[in-house]
Amino acid sequence: VVAITELMHPVGGGCPVFEGRPRLAAWYRRVEAAVGKDLFLEAHEVILKVRDCPPADPVIKQKLMPRVLTMIQ
């Protein structure tokens, strides 16, 4: 549960962490099912609200994206 929370931070920022990673996406679905979808979304509500904020500077986002992707590979 702690690990999924760490991966949800970049998701909230718009980074497609689980996209193109079937094993990681399957793990995400297993964790979500074990916790329960409603509770899972409630637990990550604040993180996911970041998506509603104005977009980050695209230059900074592009600089950070490779670092985030490297950390999860």
Side-chain angles (χ1 to χ4, degrees), residues 27-47:
W27 172 72
Y28 169 93
R29 289 188 298 274
R30 287 193 306 272
V31 172
E32 183 183 56
V35 173
K37 187 171 184 128
D38 291 339
L39 183 57
F40 186 88
L41 291 175
E42 181 182 335
H44 297 100
E45 183 178 9
V46 173
I47 295 168

Side-chain angles (χ1 to χ4, degrees), residues 9-15 49-65 68:
H9 285 88
V11 170
C15 182
K49 280 187 178 182
V50 172
R51 288 188 265 186
D52 298 333
C53 294
D57 180 341
V59 174
I60 294 172
K61 192 173 179 180
Q62 287 302 315
K63 285 182 180 180
L64 293 175
M65 184 82 65
V68 172

Side-chain angles (χ1 to χ4, degrees), residues 4-5 7 13 32 43-44 58 73:
I4 196 77
T5 301
L7 290 176
E32 183 183 56
H44 297 100
Q73 292 180 352

Side-chain angles (χ1 to χ4, degrees), residues 11-24:
V11 170
C15 182
V17 173
F18 302 101
E19 202 172 287
R21 295 177 177 83
R23 290 175 56 194
L24 193 59

